[in-house]
Amino acid sequence: MTSQVATHSANPFVDPSLNSSRGEFVEASTLIVGRNASLTLGTDSLIVLDEGFVARETTNCCGLLPSKSKTTRAIPFFNILWAALSDYDITIHYAHPTSKNVVRAAYVEYLIDKPERPKVTIWIAKLLDRAYGVSQRNKRIKVLINPCGGKGNAQKLYSRDIEPIFAAAGCIVDVERTQFQGHAAELAEKLDTNAYDVIASCSGDGLPHEVFNGLGRKPDAKSALSKVAVVQLPCGTGNAMSWNLYGTDSTSMAALCIVKGIRTPLDLTSITQGDRRTLSFLSQSFGIVAECDLGTDNIRWMGSARFTYGILVRLLGKTVYPCDVAVKVEIETKTQIRDHYQVQSSRRSIDDVRQNSKSEETHNSSITEELPALRYGSIMDELPEGWNLVPEDKIGNFYAGNMAYMAPDTKFFPATLPNDGCLDLVTIDGDCSRISALKCLLAVEDGSLFDLPQVRYRKISGYRLIPKGRKSGCISIDGERFPFEPFQAEVHKGLGTVLSKNGLIYEAKGVSAGGYSDTA
């Protein structure tokens, strides 16, 4: 079968950006593979034109009935996993959608004549450049599988949905199963950070929490947290990390997003209790949310609905959680927060992301320090200067978040940004009317919580919380139960690293200067 490279200025499949009005050299965009097929680099997709598609797929009634098969197939560049040229053919691996939320590894393959190989090599380089952009290719991934997470089917999901995607993309993968709680932290602490680019947890949000803390225990914690991206392959109950970074809890879609993920700095928060220091990547809660998160394990069979059920019961009961709170506020009003979100979420173009990635790589080689010092001190120290401890005797919900989604369709923090150096703090009084309480619950699901007058929303860089009025209760850090005792939090801007779809904002609805709007 003969292959040939050609440029067609009038071809609708050709990327317009390849046209030149100044007579500059235009790189070939179409690869002719045989008499009946061609591969074209379009604006945002690889266009596969192959009359053989019809011949191969016409199996109805001996071919007598009309076929619905098409000769053209558009494969988005985002779905292109890899392309390679062997002795005789070109093979293109891609993620083929089999339903709205599922992709499967697939490929197309065509014979290539030997004289065309140099041109085909150039064409493949262009394809991969379009497919990956600023994202790293052939990522080296340490996969941790929690066999007990969620419904206990993480191993099955990995083998069926994830492993084929990673293999087709040419990722170098090392798989290990966690044996006990805290095992992921031990593995991360001992990890050779020069050998891996990514730690991917097949789990809920518990394993990423352990991984961040394991990396944080290393002697060169800052370097480790900067070099190795921490990601989630959603196999748990809430899967908040995956919802925020990839906009999905589909394991196959998340695998594709990790293959194509862009390195993104992530704020981490130090939590001090007694003489202990823990890193938090997701949220901290005291009051209704903590009680619902940790106090509903007996109805875990309900899935994410157990959070809604727990919140509803406590809201209608007008439950309050007295405490003393001191907060370091960075942005006070909702109007200012909207403006801040707009400025920060549009602060960089994709070219800036590319340059930032290169700058980070250069900077990472010189980072060897331990975790950053606590500029506000710990819970054992005197209250930081300028902080005021305020009695909050009627508080119903104290919730600080670093990501927008806390569970599917639950966007508590629509103004959060991965790397603005702030936690978003939501506080709601527990003695509000039942009607107001129900409005809050409904607003969480439809994304309008930010605008409710009974919801106080601030951006903060630290706080201290001291429970009072009861001997026992729930404090949740990243969904994990912590002792019911005073604690202090402090944000570290960009200390961690994750992989996201765009490198700028979360995959959630954000806030705009004019009110709540879809910016993701």
Side-chain angles (χ1 to χ4, degrees):
M1 186 178 290
T2 304
S3 64
Q4 187 177 7
V5 178
T7 301
H8 305 283
S9 59
N11 192 326
F13 295 149
V14 174
D15 187 343
S17 66
L18 295 175
N19 293 332
S20 173
S21 59
R22 300 181 181 179
E24 300 143 29
F25 174 75
V26 180
E27 292 183 281
S29 62
T30 298
L31 184 64
I32 307 301
V33 283
R35 289 180 291 178
N36 301 316
S38 66
L39 306 171
T40 298
L41 303 178
T43 303
D44 54 13
S45 301
L46 169 66
I47 310 298
V48 183
L49 179 60
D50 188 346
E51 294 180 10
F53 288 157
V54 175
R56 288 192 291 268
E57 295 177 17
T58 302
T59 58
N60 57 75
C61 196
C62 301
L64 297 177
L65 297 177
S67 173
K68 295 182 180 180
S69 300
K70 297 180 180 180
T71 60
T72 302
R73 183 176 299 168
I75 305 173
F77 287 133
F78 187 81
N79 288 47
I80 299 294
L81 299 172
W82 197 246
L85 179 63
S86 67
D87 291 338
Y88 302 104
D89 52 37
I90 179 175
T91 304
I92 300 173
H93 297 270
Y94 65 99
H96 174 64
T98 59
S99 68
K100 182 179 179 181
N101 297 312
V102 176
V103 293
R104 294 284 182 248
Y107 69 91
V108 291
E109 189 173 61
Y110 296 97
L111 292 174
I112 297 295
D113 286 345
K114 190 172 182 179
E116 301 297 328
R117 290 176 59 84
K119 294 179 181 179
V120 175
T121 300
I122 294 173
W123 186 91
I124 288 176
K126 285 189 61 183
L127 170 63
L128 292 178
D129 189 55
R130 299 282 189 89
Y132 279 86
V134 299
S135 177
Q136 179 187 356
R137 307 173 189 181
N138 307 126
K139 295 179 175 72
R140 302 169 300 168
I141 306 174
K142 176 73 173 183
V143 174
L144 302 180
I145 298 178
N146 178 8
C148 301
K151 298 179 181 179
N153 59 353
Q155 178 63 62
K156 176 182 177 181
L157 292 172
Y158 175 76
S159 299
R160 184 190 69 189
D161 299 342
I162 301 163
E163 186 176 25
I165 299 292
F166 285 172
C171 295
I172 302 169
V173 181
D174 177 25
V175 181
E176 192 157 352
R177 290 153 190 82
T178 57
Q179 305 297 321
F180 49 85
Q181 186 174 7
H183 191 198
E186 290 186 8
L187 294 173
E189 184 177 5
K190 298 174 182 177
L191 188 80
D192 179 0
T193 56
N194 292 317
Y196 299 97
D197 307 302
V198 180
I199 302 182
S201 298
C202 292
S203 66
D205 297 308
L207 248 62
H209 171 83
E210 288 190 26
V211 170
F212 276 122
N213 280 280
L215 294 175
R217 294 175 194 163
K218 297 177 77 69
D220 59 343
K222 286 181 69 175
S223 174
L225 288 164
S226 180
K227 285 166 98 174
V228 182
V230 179
V231 301
Q232 178 189 53
L233 291 158
C235 300
T237 303
N239 303 314
M241 188 181 210
S242 182
W243 276 107
N244 284 285
L245 298 177
Y246 314 123
T248 184
D249 64 352
S250 160
T251 45
S252 61
M253 289 295 296
L256 172 60
C257 290
I258 288 169
V259 166
K260 294 303 182 72
I262 299 172
R263 289 177 59 84
T264 306
L266 180 72
D267 295 338
L268 297 178
T269 301
S270 280
I271 307 296
T272 58
Q273 272 193 322
D275 60 355
R276 301 179 302 278
R277 180 179 181 180
T278 305
L279 293 177
S280 167
F281 78 95
L282 181 60
S283 66
Q284 309 96 48
S285 60
F286 171 83
I288 290 175
V289 171
E291 295 284 337
C292 296
D293 190 7
L294 302 174
T296 58
D297 279 343
N298 60 317
I299 53 173
R300 185 174 285 273
W301 55 269
M302 293 179 66
S304 60
R306 70 187 175 98
F307 300 108
T308 303
Y309 171 79
I311 288 176
L312 182 61
V313 170
R314 288 161 178 81
L315 282 176
L316 294 179
K318 292 189 174 183
T319 311
V320 296
Y321 303 86
C323 60
D324 292 333
V325 178
V327 178
K328 174 62 175 174
V329 178
E330 299 297 334
I331 306 177
E332 179 74 39
T333 71
K334 292 180 180 179
T335 298
Q336 292 172 327
I337 290 172
R338 288 190 184 100
D339 293 341
H340 170 80
Y341 182 87
Q342 287 302 299
V343 170
Q344 293 297 314
S345 63
S346 60
R347 71 191 185 280
R348 293 183 295 170
S349 67
I350 197 66
D351 290 332
D352 293 326
V353 174
R354 185 191 298 270
Q355 185 58 43
N356 184 69
S357 298
K358 292 180 179 178
S359 298
E360 285 181 5
E361 291 174 4
T362 302
H363 181 58
N364 289 346
S365 62
S366 62
I367 299 177
T368 57
E369 299 91 348
E370 298 177 347
L371 288 177
L374 296 170
R375 62 188 187 280
Y376 298 141
S378 75
I379 189 65
M380 305 299 291
D381 298 319
E382 294 294 326
L383 198 66
E385 185 176 354
W387 291 28
N388 296 312
L389 204 60
V390 178
E392 297 282 1
D393 296 331
K394 296 183 179 181
I395 200 164
N397 187 34
F398 181 99
Y399 205 2
N402 191 42
M403 292 184 172
Y405 287 108
M406 292 296 113
D409 301 319
T410 306
K411 296 181 288 292
F412 263 99
F413 307 104
T416 49
L417 291 158
N419 184 34
D420 68 347
C422 293
L423 284 167
D424 285 26
L425 175 63
V426 168
T427 53
I428 305 173
D429 287 340
D431 63 347
C432 63
S433 69
R434 289 185 173 89
I435 293 178
S436 293
L438 287 173
K439 285 183 178 178
C440 287
L441 180 61
L442 295 173
V444 170
E445 295 185 358
D446 67 22
S448 60
L449 183 73
F450 181 88
D451 291 317
L452 293 181
Q454 63 266 41
V455 174
R456 191 174 186 188
Y457 198 112
R458 293 167 285 176
K459 280 191 172 285
I460 65 174
S461 59
Y463 66 88
R464 177 175 292 189
L465 188 147
I466 303 174
K468 64 181 184 180
R470 59 173 69 186
K471 294 183 178 179
S472 63
C474 293
I475 291 174
S476 174
I477 309 295
D478 295 350
E480 303 297 314
R481 183 183 294 273
F482 272 54
F484 192 71
E485 60 186 47
F487 68 97
Q488 184 162 305
E490 177 180 320
V491 182
H492 307 291
K493 179 177 170 63
L495 178 61
T497 305
V498 293
L499 299 177
S500 69
K501 286 184 73 172
N502 58 55
L504 298 173
I505 58 176
Y506 294 125
E507 299 297 311
K509 292 181 179 179
V511 292
S512 66
Y516 199 86
S517 67
D518 188 353
T519 60

